[in-house]
Amino acid sequence: MFKASVMSVLLSFALYLAPSAMAASSLNGLASHQELGNEMFIGALYLESRTDSADTALNSPGAKRMELRITADNGIPSRRFSRMWIEGVSINNSGSALTAQADNMVAFSNLFRGRLRRNDVVTIELNPGTGVAVGLNGVELGVIEDEPFFNLLARAWVGNVPLSSTFRDNLLSPSEIPGDLRSRFEAIEPSAARIETVAQWNQPEPEPEPAPEPESSAPPVAATAPLVTALDMPKASLEPEPEPEPAPEPEPQPEPEPEPEPEPAVVAEEEEEDDEPLLTAESLRAQQLYFSNLMRSILQNTSYPRRALQRGQEGEIRVAVVIDRAGAIQSMNMLEESEHSLLNREAERAIREAAPFPDVPEVIRGDVYEFSVPFTFVVPE
């Protein structure tokens, strides 16, 4: 039964990735996303008509597809995966679009019930007339019927503030896809066990069996000894009973050798679940609003270093920040840094100057709040 289930899912996965299944769209570009110098995933954008323009990619009709193939050794926790989309969507979409798609964003985030593993394949596909299908390893997790939701997510990749300018540019370079990157991308496939695990996500929880009813019985009757009269008792013998011979002492037995302790059984790695509670519309709006306020405060404290401007230095920077619930900075790490130290120092200075930040809203759970800050330094023409 298990083998048949695995084989059917594997077959579905193979057909899902077969060229014929993607005849309606073709690969527009591949991009590697890195954090702290470590590759997290390879992203792919599929369009019906290839283009190097973000506006054309977003506004063109027809089937579209985004795909992530996880390459991080430790995978990506669902909390970080959700935060990546929430931040990217919040920066690159209007307030009205965020409000209109809030429920869909909640539904999308809650489809992923655990850590994404290395070699997982995430697909987000727009099929005109049927909605936006979200899948993992060939298993359909759900469908968002509102088709504009695809572009809401796509702007996090190719919008004005993408994961990085290099990431966006590579997705929009249909004629310059590196062969080695494409080979690595195509070689990424999940294991059969992992596919089966994901397939179980959509299985309904088994209903608990009803507890057996206690058997009805009469109340227990106390046992009584049978009545014995003096006439029934044997007469006592006047002769003393012989003393019993002492039993021979048992021969000493050699102490048994202690049995070797059994080796600990190898326990299969269980699916690691994040402690993060399910996202709600209320907590999503709180995160979007709080994140927007943080960005506004940091932007107000950011200036172009004069020497960098005079030298024509440009660059993109992304800084990971962790704050406590009172808004005090706990740590900062460069996820992406430019080649110019003046710009890197200005990004860190702007964040420190903006702190301490407002208290984290109560509806946002956790002892700390994590976010990333993108900076783009471009010399005006």
Side-chain angles (χ1 to χ4, degrees), residues 290 294 297-298 301 321-324 326-330 332 348-358 371:
Y290 187 66
L294 297 181
S297 176
I298 294 170
N301 285 276
V321 184
V322 179
I323 61 176
D324 61 21
I329 296 176
Q330 298 297 296
M332 289 197 305
E348 293 180 334
R349 185 204 64 79
I351 296 173
R352 290 195 183 94
E353 288 292 326
F357 301 101
F371 62 102

Side-chain angles (χ1 to χ4, degrees), residues 62-64 124-134 140 142-150:
K64 304 176 187 179
I124 305 168
E125 187 167 11
L126 170 62
N127 298 301
T130 60
V132 181
V134 181
E140 186 177 281
V143 176
I144 307 297
E145 296 181 355
D146 196 355
E147 295 182 5
F149 181 70
F150 182 89

Side-chain angles (χ1 to χ4, degrees), residues 16 33 60 117 131 136 163 189 376:
Y16 195 66
H33 174 59
S60 62
R117 302 292 183 180
L136 177 60
L163 294 175
E189 292 183 0
T376 302

Side-chain angles (χ1 to χ4, degrees), residues 161-179:
V161 189
L163 294 175
S164 70
S165 60
T166 303
F167 187 84
R168 175 182 57 196
D169 293 345
N170 289 340
L171 290 178
L172 299 173
S173 300
S175 61
E176 301 176 4
I177 300 176

Side-chain angles (χ1 to χ4, degrees), residues 86-159:
I86 291 174
E87 292 178 359
V89 163
S90 300
I91 295 176
N92 289 284
N93 289 274
S94 65
S96 58
L98 295 176
T99 300
Q101 296 290 341
D103 290 338
N104 290 331
M105 192 66 199
V106 170
F108 170 78
S109 296
N110 290 339
L111 290 176
F112 299 90
R113 303 185 184 180
R115 176 185 291 265
L116 295 176
R117 302 292 183 180
R118 180 181 174 88
N119 296 327
D120 275 351
V121 178
V122 180
T123 54
I124 305 168
E125 187 167 11
L126 170 62
N127 298 301
T130 60
V132 181
V134 181
L136 177 60
N137 299 338
V139 179
E140 186 177 281
L141 300 181
V143 176
I144 307 297
E145 296 181 355
D146 196 355
E147 295 182 5
F149 181 70
F150 182 89
N151 277 358
L152 185 91
L153 295 179
R155 289 189 183 94
W157 279 15
V158 298

Side-chain angles (χ1 to χ4, degrees), residues 215-295:
E215 297 181 1
S216 58
S217 59
V221 179
T224 56
L227 180 62
V228 179
T229 64
L231 295 176
D232 298 320
M233 298 179 64
K235 295 181 179 179
S237 173
L238 299 178
E239 298 180 0
E241 296 183 1
E243 295 182 1
E245 296 181 0
E249 296 183 1
E251 297 181 2
Q253 300 292 332
E255 295 184 2
E257 296 182 1
E259 297 182 1
E261 295 184 2
E263 296 183 2
V266 178
V267 181
E269 182 180 5
E270 297 181 356
E271 184 69 14
E272 179 181 343
E273 298 292 340
D274 293 279
D275 295 331
E276 188 77 2
L278 290 177
L279 192 67
T280 65
E282 182 184 10
S283 61
L284 172 66
R285 293 190 182 96
Q287 287 191 51
Q288 291 174 337
L289 179 60
Y290 187 66
F291 178 69
S292 298
N293 290 337
L294 297 181
M295 294 300 99

Side-chain angles (χ1 to χ4, degrees), residues 19 21-28 46-49 62-65 125:
M22 295 187 293
S25 58
S26 56
L27 182 63
N28 195 80
Y46 294 86
L47 301 171
E48 285 192 2
S49 299
K64 304 176 187 179
R65 176 189 181 99
E125 187 167 11

